[in-house]
Amino acid sequence: MGVMILVLLLCFEISCSQQINMIEEEKRALLQTKWWDLSDNFSDPCDWKGMYCNEFGSVIEMSQPMITPKDPRLADLNFTAFPNLQHLGLHEMGLIGTIPTQIGLLHSLISLNLSRNNLNGTIPTQIGALPNLTYLDLSYNKIIGTIPTQIGLLHSLISLNLSRNNLNGTIPTQIEALPNLTYLDLSYNKIIGTIPTQIGLLHSLISLNLSRNNLNGTIPPQIEALASLTYLDLSSNNIIGTIPTRIGLLHSLISLDLSNNNLSGTIPPQIEALASLTYLDLSNNNIIGTIPTRIGLLHSLISLDLSNNNLSGIIPSSIKDLQYHIHLNLSCNNFTDGDTELLWPEKIHKGSNSLLTIIVPLIIFLVIIFVVGFILFKSFKKNKKSISETRKAKNRDLLSIWNYDGKIAFEDIIDATEDFDIKYCIGTGAYGSVYRAQLPSGKIVALKKLHRREYGNTSFAKSFHNEVKMLSEIRHRNIVKLYGFCLHHQCMFLIYEYMERGSFFYVLNNDDDAKELDWSKRVNAIKGIANALFYMHHGCAPPIIHRDITSGNVLLNSNMDAFLSDFGTARIIDPDASNQTLLVGTYGYIAPELAYTLVVTEKCDVYSFGVMTLETIMGRHPGDLLLSLSKTCYESIWLKDVVDPRIPLPSRKDARDVTLLVAIALACLNPSPQSRPSMQLVSQRLSSSNLPLAIPFNNIAIHHLVNQDV
């Protein structure tokens, strides 16, 4: 018995000794790289910035240390010293050189992110020796050569991003051996050959992006087997043949881009089966025939581009059923006739063969205008003084209405609000107060009335006109509708669609209302606002920056659907002009770079969106959490302790969505604007992800979600 105890003690001592030696070796390897700032004199690597260890003190995660040398090399890291390393996130570090073959020694590695560096050379074949790898991102580098066939050995791989490199060769057929792959991005390379038919075996695939390569051949019919696919981009290649008719089987498809290829044939009528499709681009091909008459069945469509093809016939009347366009382009085709009055004038261009049908009526119209104008001018000349006085009086009481019944009168507004009595006021903001008004028709509207101090103020009048101009041109399901406006010598106001539940801020700060706002409603609200910003940034020409994204500027209707409002500080970007302006926005939501520069970009909205998303999840402004994230102590913060305690912890599906939202929010809050995702990427990520959680919700710490690739 005593001998057995001695043996056990000896084994324990050997094990401890080996553990200590391993940790010492890890420390020596880290010191040799000179990547970590040791000014705090921490002796334990687990206390260093970007370093995380297991319970035994062995390094299991490295993420973005503070680099001191110039042009660091990945080869400087001694991979043999880290047998337990699971997560390696060294993106955006300025790494140069090649990916060393020793990368294959990290057998415990689960995620590898080396994106946005200056790495060159080829992808080592030893990458196939990482059996546990689920996440691989080498995008935005200068990597050359072919995609190694050993990639097919990564059977656990879920996400593969090799985009924006200089890869050539073909897509390896061994890709069929990745049954769990859900995200594949090989875009912006020089890949040749055809799309392998084995792509149809990736039944878990949700997002496939092969755009901006030199692919040829046809679209393989096996693509119909990708039942979970939501995002498909094969644009800017040399693909020939027709659009497969069985593409209508991809019922989950949200975005389809086949533009800038050599596709021929007709648009298959089966495309009407893609009920979830929001983005469709078939432009710059050789497609013939007519637009399918039942295209109006795509009620979710918000962007349609069929320009630069050989389409003919008439434009189908079903176009009017597409209520939520953010972009419609049918230009440079051969349409002979069509219900052009069903289309928004600024969104449609007919082919050159139909120019006469536009020019002739236009000339007749101008002649009539000239004759009528001349007669009026002669009449006005006789009574110049009285006409001038009449115009001045009318200009003081100008009410313009569009997209409404046209029967609203200024007096109706005054009567409905009893001359803007305080009892009808439902909110006050920086620019004005909002009133609830029930018109004689029974219609309830919201009136945004500018504060009295703004009357006659040129800058505020400009903001007023900006809001009117932009909102009058916007058509999106998650942006508040504008019915009309009033310019009056005593008041200025906008007439909005009324939102029964008021602002998101009010709901989150009212315990009873917040409890009604369950996780699924909160997730849907954030998705709605993300889609609205995606539309503003990427669907408007030129793009629009809101500049004041807050919970107070998000309104909820009776179903708790979210709508973006208050464009008083928004601005249309002119690519040829300066974007410098006065600092605007709401404290606590303003992007940090605006503290030292007044250059406003879309990434300012992205930052504010991140703050508002965390506020939605937490039920309060995330100021304390943001402060913690700026320190090195956030690994002790558990996600379950951060979410709003007024409602039960999310169920399995909601837990997945909530976790994704937090990861996206943290990415949006990156101090570096260039490192924040675009709203297009955020919107696509929110609409395409249904991956199960790798670990239970209760075991997720905030640091697990920091630096996640979005």
Side-chain angles (χ1 to χ4, degrees):
M1 185 69 176
V3 174
M4 185 178 295
I5 293 175
L6 287 174
V7 170
L8 290 174
L9 288 174
L10 181 60
C11 291
F12 178 76
E13 184 177 350
I14 293 173
S15 176
C16 290
S17 176
Q18 290 174 340
Q19 189 72 38
I20 293 172
N21 291 337
M22 182 179 66
I23 295 173
E24 287 298 321
E25 185 180 356
E26 290 178 353
K27 181 179 178 181
R28 283 193 298 271
L30 292 170
L31 287 170
Q32 289 172 359
T33 65
K34 299 180 181 179
W35 285 359
W36 272 262
D37 180 11
L38 307 181
S39 57
D40 291 329
N41 252 351
F42 289 133
S43 60
D44 188 352
C46 301
D47 294 328
W48 297 353
K49 178 179 173 61
M51 198 74 61
Y52 305 96
C53 301
N54 59 19
E55 61 271 26
F56 302 109
S58 180
V59 176
I60 60 172
E61 180 176 342
M62 298 181 195
S63 59
Q64 293 193 303
M66 184 178 295
I67 305 172
T68 52
K70 183 181 179 182
D71 297 331
R73 294 179 179 272
L74 189 61
D76 292 340
L77 193 62
N78 182 9
F79 292 113
T80 61
F82 306 100
N84 298 315
L85 190 64
Q86 298 176 6
H87 304 280
L88 182 60
L90 303 180
H91 51 291
E92 295 184 275
M93 286 182 49
L95 293 173
I96 64 172
T98 61
I99 302 174
T101 58
Q102 288 82 3
I103 197 83
L105 298 175
L106 302 177
H107 300 300
S108 299
L109 206 60
I110 295 174
S111 67
L112 175 61
N113 187 351
L114 303 177
S115 64
R116 298 179 185 272
N117 284 294
N118 294 308
L119 296 171
N120 53 34
T122 61
I123 302 173
T125 58
Q126 289 79 1
I127 202 86
L130 306 177
N132 299 311
L133 198 65
T134 62
Y135 176 93
L136 175 59
D137 190 348
L138 305 179
S139 62
Y140 289 87
N141 280 288
K142 300 174 182 178
I143 300 173
I144 61 173
T146 61
I147 302 172
T149 58
Q150 288 80 2
I151 210 88
L153 299 175
L154 304 178
H155 302 304
S156 300
L157 204 61
I158 292 176
S159 177
L160 174 60
N161 189 351
L162 305 179
S163 64
R164 295 183 184 268
N165 281 287
N166 294 310
L167 294 169
N168 52 39
T170 61
I171 302 174
T173 58
Q174 289 80 359
I175 203 169
E176 67 178 318
L178 306 178
N180 300 311
L181 196 65
T182 62
Y183 179 90
L184 176 60
D185 191 346
L186 306 179
S187 62
Y188 288 85
N189 280 290
K190 300 175 182 178
I191 300 173
I192 61 173
T194 61
I195 302 173
T197 58
Q198 289 84 353
I199 205 89
L201 298 175
L202 303 179
H203 300 300
S204 299
L205 207 59
I206 292 174
S207 177
L208 175 61
N209 190 350
L210 305 179
S211 64
R212 302 275 180 171
N213 280 290
N214 297 313
L215 295 170
N216 53 37
T218 61
I219 301 174
Q222 289 81 358
I223 209 163
E224 71 181 53
L226 305 179
S228 300
L229 200 64
T230 63
Y231 179 84
L232 176 60
D233 191 347
L234 305 179
S235 64
S236 299
N237 281 288
N238 299 311
I239 299 173
I240 60 173
T242 61
I243 302 172
T245 58
R246 297 177 71 84
I247 203 166
L249 296 176
L250 304 180
H251 300 300
S252 299
L253 209 59
I254 293 175
S255 177
L256 174 60
D257 191 347
L258 304 178
S259 63
N260 294 286
N261 280 291
N262 295 310
L263 293 170
S264 56
T266 61
I267 301 174
Q270 291 83 353
I271 208 165
E272 70 187 44
L274 305 179
S276 301
L277 201 64
T278 62
Y279 180 91
L280 176 59
D281 192 346
L282 305 179
S283 63
N284 293 286
N285 280 289
N286 299 312
I287 300 173
I288 61 173
T290 60
I291 300 177
T293 56
R294 296 172 63 84
I295 201 169
L297 294 177
L298 302 179
H299 296 297
S300 298
L301 205 61
I302 58 178
S303 179
L304 174 63
D305 194 343
L306 304 178
S307 62
N308 290 284
N309 280 289
N310 294 313
L311 294 167
S312 58
I314 64 171
I315 301 170
S317 59
S318 60
I319 289 288
K320 69 180 180 179
D321 295 325
L322 303 178
Q323 301 175 29
Y324 303 115
H325 283 311
I326 62 169
H327 175 72
L328 175 63
N329 192 353
L330 308 179
S331 63
C332 299
N333 280 288
N334 299 311
F335 298 118
T336 56
D337 192 11
D339 296 324
T340 56
E341 71 275 6
L342 298 177
L343 304 173
W344 298 285
E346 71 277 15
K347 304 286 188 178
I348 176 71
H349 308 275
K350 296 183 70 177
S352 59
N353 292 340
S354 60
L355 279 177
L356 289 178
T357 63
I358 299 176
I359 293 175
V360 173
L362 181 60
I363 293 175
I364 296 173
F365 176 75
L366 291 176
V367 170
I368 294 174
I369 290 296
F370 176 78
V371 173
V372 173
F374 180 78
I375 295 173
L376 289 176
F377 173 75
K378 297 292 288 184
S379 176
F380 286 165
K381 192 173 182 181
K382 294 179 182 179
N383 302 285
K384 184 176 181 180
K385 183 176 180 180
S386 60
I387 292 294
S388 177
E389 292 175 350
T390 302
R391 284 180 176 174
K392 289 180 180 178
K394 288 185 176 181
N395 284 341
R396 289 195 300 266
D397 297 324
L398 174 62
L399 180 64
S400 176
I401 302 295
W402 66 90
N403 195 30
Y404 199 57
D405 58 16
K407 298 179 181 179
I408 299 178
F410 177 76
E411 291 77 12
D412 292 335
I413 299 296
I414 298 299
D415 292 342
T417 59
E418 298 181 32
D419 198 11
F420 294 101
D421 189 282
I422 189 65
K423 67 183 178 182
Y424 295 99
C425 184
I426 57 176
T428 300
Y431 277 81
S433 299
V434 182
Y435 294 79
R436 179 185 184 275
Q438 184 168 1
L439 302 175
S441 63
K443 179 74 175 181
I444 299 177
V445 295
L447 307 172
K448 181 182 176 184
K449 178 177 176 287
L450 294 184
H451 294 313
R452 187 169 296 277
R453 66 176 181 268
E454 275 101 49
Y455 302 158
N457 186 312
T458 304
S459 63
F460 281 109
K462 184 177 181 181
S463 293
F464 177 84
H465 281 287
N466 280 346
E467 187 161 1
V468 171
K469 183 177 185 299
M470 280 181 283
L471 283 179
S472 66
E473 297 172 352
I474 285 175
R475 291 179 177 89
H476 192 277
R477 70 189 76 180
N478 293 110
I479 293 180
V480 176
K481 293 178 183 177
L482 176 65
Y483 291 136
F485 73 93
C486 175
L487 291 174
H488 192 271
H489 70 286
Q490 290 184 344
C491 65
M492 300 167 61
F493 58 82
L494 297 169
I495 307 172
Y496 285 112
E497 177 184 14
Y498 177 68
M499 295 291 164
E500 295 84 354
R501 301 306 295 264
S503 74
F504 208 15
F505 175 83
Y506 172 81
V507 172
L508 288 176
N509 284 274
N510 182 290
D511 287 346
D512 291 336
D513 289 340
K515 291 175 183 176
E516 184 180 347
L517 198 64
D518 59 27
W519 291 118
S520 61
K521 291 177 181 176
R522 297 189 190 205
V523 170
N524 288 334
I526 293 300
K527 286 182 178 179
I529 299 306
N531 290 334
L533 286 172
F534 167 37
Y535 157 62
M536 290 172 57
H537 291 179
H538 303 280
C540 295
I544 299 174
I545 299 179
H546 188 290
R547 298 203 298 174
D548 197 17
I549 305 298
T550 70
S551 58
N553 285 333
V554 173
L555 304 180
L556 302 174
N557 65 7
S558 57
N559 297 322
M560 292 291 194
D561 298 320
F563 298 81
L564 193 56
S565 71
D566 197 351
F567 289 74
T569 57
R571 161 193 184 131
I572 297 180
I573 306 173
D574 182 356
D576 300 321
S578 171
N579 289 330
Q580 291 188 353
T581 184
L582 295 177
L583 180 62
V584 294
T586 302
Y587 179 75
Y589 297 85
I590 300 175
E593 63 268 20
L594 290 180
Y596 53 86
T597 176
L598 295 178
V599 178
V600 179
T601 69
E602 292 98 326
K603 294 303 180 73
C604 298
D605 277 355
V606 173
Y607 182 90
S608 301
F609 171 79
V611 176
M612 194 198 70
T613 299
L614 284 184
E615 183 179 5
T616 304
I617 299 301
M618 298 172 64
R620 64 185 188 279
H621 189 277
D624 294 340
L625 180 60
L626 296 180
L627 184 62
S628 298
L629 291 176
S630 65
K631 303 176 181 179
T632 59
C633 60
Y634 56 80
E635 62 267 19
S636 61
I637 303 175
W638 298 97
L639 182 56
K640 64 181 177 63
D641 297 328
V642 168
V643 298
D644 194 339
R646 293 172 295 182
I647 55 178
L649 287 175
S651 61
R652 177 174 298 181
K653 177 186 179 301
D654 290 334
R656 179 195 69 205
D657 293 337
V658 169
T659 303
L660 175 61
L661 281 181
V662 174
I664 288 175
L666 294 174
C668 293
L669 294 171
N670 194 305
S672 170
Q674 295 80 11
S675 300
R676 296 172 200 153
S678 67
M679 288 310 303
Q680 180 178 15
L681 188 57
V682 169
S683 180
Q684 291 170 352
R685 187 77 173 87
L686 288 174
S687 62
S688 64
S689 177
N690 61 1
L691 297 178
L693 290 177
I695 57 178
F697 184 80
N698 289 346
N699 295 341
I700 298 176
I702 293 296
H703 85 268
H704 290 142
L705 307 178
V706 177
N707 295 324
Q708 288 274 337
D709 183 67
V710 176

